[in-house]
């Protein structure tokens, strides 16, 4: 069964460094998402992406964040200058074309630790 | 605005006992509700979803949930817990293009 994959599974970085989290959505999906979960807190929406542009973003998704679909398969989240509070689990999700109620399929997550 | 509250961050049940995980939602529009499960070191897997059809929704692994509009609830149940049910469970409500998740409930199954 097709699944969303994410790399790396764990990333440790120094504060102020740039990180790129990578996701490979399911191949026929057209809508892509990033969520994050700070330890012990809710899974929070960051951004949605469709037709090569951001369709929605949350207040969390400030100028230090960016997303890109550099080729036909990868979907990346870049954090330009990491802060301690960016430490979290980051989930990528995708969904197929169709009504917005269609299920989102989630990857296993990347655990980011900023020191 | 949409939000979800999951009562009980940790629930322990004996193997074979009833599992009840609580979820209450707030939504300004007719909600679409989901339960996801997360096993250790894995992604979020869909258990079941409510999309305004039948109010009692059956999912995978013997789980089901009932949408109760009057109580704004969407509690997850399973008649008999199995050791393999130990995991983190997330309730979510969708609105447009976003999912809003609860804080999750960690289920422990005691042999």
């Amino acid at each position: 069964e097709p699944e969303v994959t994410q790399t790396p599974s764990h990333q440790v970085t120094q504060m102020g460094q740039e990180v790129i989290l990578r996701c490979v959505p399911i191949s026929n999906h057209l809508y892509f998402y990033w969520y994050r979960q700070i330890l012990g807190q809710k899974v929070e929406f960051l951004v949605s992406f469709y037709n090569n542009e951001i369709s929605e973003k949350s207040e969390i998704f400030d100028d230090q964040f960016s997303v890109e679909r550099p080729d036909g398969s990868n979907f990346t989240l870049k954090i330009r200058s990491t802060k301690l509070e960016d430490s979290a689990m980051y989930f990528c999700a995708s969904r197929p074309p169709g009504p917005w109620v269609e299920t989102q399929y989630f990857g296993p997550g990347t655990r980011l630790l900023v020191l | 605005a949409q939000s979800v509250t999951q009562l009980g961050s940790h629930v322990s049940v004996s193997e074979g006992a009833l599992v009840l995980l609580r979820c209450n939602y707030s939504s300004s529009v007719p909600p679409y509700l989901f339960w996801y499960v997360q096993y250790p070191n894995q992604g979020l897997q869909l258990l079941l979803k409510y999309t305004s059809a039948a109010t009692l929704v059956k999912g995978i692994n013997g789980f089901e949930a009932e949408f109760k509009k009057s109580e704004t609830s969407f509690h997850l149940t399973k008649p008999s817990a199995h050791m393999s049910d130990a995991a983190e469970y997330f309730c979510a409500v969708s609105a447009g293009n976003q999912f809003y998740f609860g804080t999750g409930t960690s289920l422990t199954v005691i042999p």
Side-chain angles (χ1 to χ4, degrees):
Chain A
E1 184 176 338
E3 57 185 21
V4 177
T5 59
Q6 290 185 242
T7 55
S9 58
H10 295 78
Q11 172 109 35
V12 181
T13 190
Q14 296 291 325
M15 188 171 58
Q17 295 297 303
E18 174 183 286
V19 295
I20 298 176
L21 309 183
R22 290 183 168 79
C23 169
V24 179
I26 296 173
S27 62
N28 65 334
H29 288 190
L30 298 181
Y31 298 83
F32 313 111
Y33 307 84
W34 282 102
Y35 292 81
R36 79 172 186 190
Q37 184 184 25
I38 295 172
L39 188 63
Q41 298 186 25
K42 295 184 179 185
V43 176
E44 302 171 291
F45 169 79
L46 291 177
V47 66
S48 62
F49 191 86
Y50 170 72
N51 199 26
N52 285 319
E53 61 182 24
I54 291 174
S55 48
E56 284 184 71
K57 60 182 181 179
S58 70
E59 293 178 354
I60 303 167
F61 194 87
D62 61 23
D63 291 345
Q64 70 161 343
F65 291 94
S66 63
V67 289
E68 192 178 32
R69 188 157 163 80
D71 52 41
S73 60
N74 290 284
F75 179 52
T76 62
L77 174 69
K78 181 191 290 186
I79 309 175
R80 288 191 184 84
S81 178
T82 50
K83 305 171 188 172
L84 296 177
E85 55 265 36
D86 293 328
S87 296
M89 179 74 92
Y90 288 80
F91 293 105
C92 173
S94 68
R95 72 169 175 87
W100 55 263
V101 71
E102 193 62 57
T103 305
Q104 294 186 18
Y105 295 82
F106 286 81
T110 293
R111 187 171 296 282
L112 176 65
L113 178 61
V114 182
L115 302 176
Chain B
Q2 283 70 33
S3 67
V4 163
T5 301
Q6 290 183 244
L7 295 176
S9 58
H10 292 87
V11 170
S12 293
V13 300
S14 298
E15 190 175 14
L18 171 72
V19 176
L20 171 61
L21 305 182
R22 298 178 186 276
C23 172
N24 288 89
Y25 69 90
S26 171
S27 178
S28 55
V29 298
Y32 295 93
L33 296 157
F34 301 77
W35 275 99
Y36 282 84
V37 61
Q38 185 181 28
Y39 298 103
N41 301 316
Q42 296 187 27
L44 298 169
Q45 179 183 359
L46 180 70
L47 271 179
L48 49 79
K49 62 183 177 182
Y50 167 76
T51 58
S52 75
T55 56
L56 181 63
V57 182
K58 294 188 184 298
I60 62 172
N61 302 337
F63 284 93
E64 61 182 37
E66 186 172 8
F67 171 71
K68 292 186 177 180
K69 185 178 179 180
S70 61
E71 299 178 8
T72 61
S73 69
F74 189 58
H75 301 330
L76 182 70
T77 60
K78 181 174 180 178
S80 177
H82 191 273
M83 296 298 295
S84 61
D85 295 328
E88 188 87 14
Y89 291 81
F90 294 93
C91 182
V93 60
S94 72
N97 210 15
Q98 293 188 32
F99 274 39
Y100 297 85
F101 284 87
T103 51
T105 298
S106 177
L107 176 66
T108 299
V109 181
I110 304 166

